[in-house]
């Protein structure tokens, strides 16, 4: 399932993928109704897509004055409509000076929630953490929220790149939240995100936070949950 929720200009997204296919689900946001996703199979080509805000106008060297060299982003391979961007200044009144991530505390909060539903706890995994960090950095670089990387990768791709061999992989993303408590609360209140938090077959997790005050979203949170083969 891929779901984007946008309460009070804060964004979160969830993606759940098993070894064969992923379920479809509606995407909604506070800006507009973005439509539905299609299906995705890890072994084949991606059919996942959604309509929404489109585009990142990367500045290229050719647009600069003749004597100036400007580093250009690599080509953006994320499918059109598969990501959301924030309006200029949407979160400029929020204070992120104390925003931090304690992975152990975050794990404990997630496991406390899972225990309330009689589910096994998750262990922190370095490979899943690497996958989460890579995606959070990419989202911050392009200042957007998505389950697709700028190279066109999906969560399954990124987990496998770390050397992790997943039987199950799931991803929740949030942007604009000031604290982990805030992003976790939003995930719990959203059916798609909550489903990922309470995956009964999940055994491990990785979590990352990237902050960039120059971006509109300011904070980029990524949770990756998995079970190895």
């Amino acid at each position: 399932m891929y779901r984007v929720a946008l309460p009070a200009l804060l964004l979160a997204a969830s993606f759940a993928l098993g070894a064969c296919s992923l379920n479809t689900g509606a995407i909604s946001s506070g800006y507009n109704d973005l439509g539905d996703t299609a299906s995705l199979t890890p072994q084949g080509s991606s059919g996942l897509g959604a309509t929404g805000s489109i585009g990142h106008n990367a500045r290229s060297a050719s647009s600069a004055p003749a004597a100036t060299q400007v580093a250009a982003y690599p080509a953006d391979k994320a499918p059109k409509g598969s990501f959301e961007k924030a309006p200029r200044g949407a979160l400029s009144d929020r204070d992120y000076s104390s925003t931090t991530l304690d992975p152990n505390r975050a794990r404990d909060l997630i496991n406390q929630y899972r225990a309330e539903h009689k589910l096994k706890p998750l262990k922190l995994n370095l490979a899943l953490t690497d996958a989460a960090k890579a995606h959070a950095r990419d989202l911050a670089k392009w200042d957007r929220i998505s389950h697709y990387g700028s190279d066109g990768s999906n969560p399954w791709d990124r987990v496998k790149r770390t050397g992790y061999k997943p039987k199950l992989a799931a991803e929740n993303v949030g942007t604009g939240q000031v604290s982990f408590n805030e992003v976790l609360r939003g995930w719990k209140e959203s059916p798609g995100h909550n489903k990922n938090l309470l995956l009964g077959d999940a055994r491990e997790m990785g979590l990352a936070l990237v902050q960039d005050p120059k971006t509109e979203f300011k904070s980029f949170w990524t949770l990756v949950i998995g079970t190895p083969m």
Side-chain angles (χ1 to χ4, degrees), residues 15 42 55 59 66 113 118 120 179 183 195 213 217:
F15 177 104
R59 186 181 180 193
Y113 184 53
K118 298 180 170 49
K120 293 183 178 179
S179 66
V183 72
K195 181 177 180 181
F217 275 132

Side-chain angles (χ1 to χ4, degrees), residues 7-93:
L9 296 178
L10 303 184
L11 279 170
S14 67
F15 177 104
L17 181 62
C20 294
S21 65
L22 107 101
N23 292 329
T24 61
I27 299 178
S28 62
S29 85
Y31 298 130
N32 53 12
D33 185 2
L34 299 182
D36 296 332
T37 61
S39 62
L40 171 68
T41 54
Q43 295 86 350
S45 60
S46 170
L48 181 63
T51 60
S53 300
I54 298 174
H56 178 97
N57 296 320
R59 186 181 180 193
S60 65
S62 62
S63 65
T68 304
Q69 291 186 349
V70 179
Y73 283 155
D76 184 5
K77 299 179 181 178
K80 287 185 176 182
S82 66
F83 53 85
E84 184 81 48
K85 298 179 74 70
R88 186 176 297 277
L91 301 173
S92 59
D93 61 342

Side-chain angles (χ1 to χ4, degrees), residues 86-127:
R88 186 176 297 277
L91 301 173
S92 59
D93 61 342
R94 307 199 87 204
D95 181 6
Y96 294 87
S97 60
S98 61
T99 301
T100 59
L101 172 64
D102 180 339
N104 291 310
R105 178 179 176 275
R107 174 206 58 205
D108 292 345
L109 288 173
I110 290 173
N111 283 338
Q112 178 182 336
Y113 184 53
R114 288 175 61 85
E116 292 170 3
H117 291 80
K118 298 180 170 49
L119 296 174
K120 293 183 178 179
L122 303 179
K123 298 179 180 179
L124 287 172
N125 178 274
L126 289 177

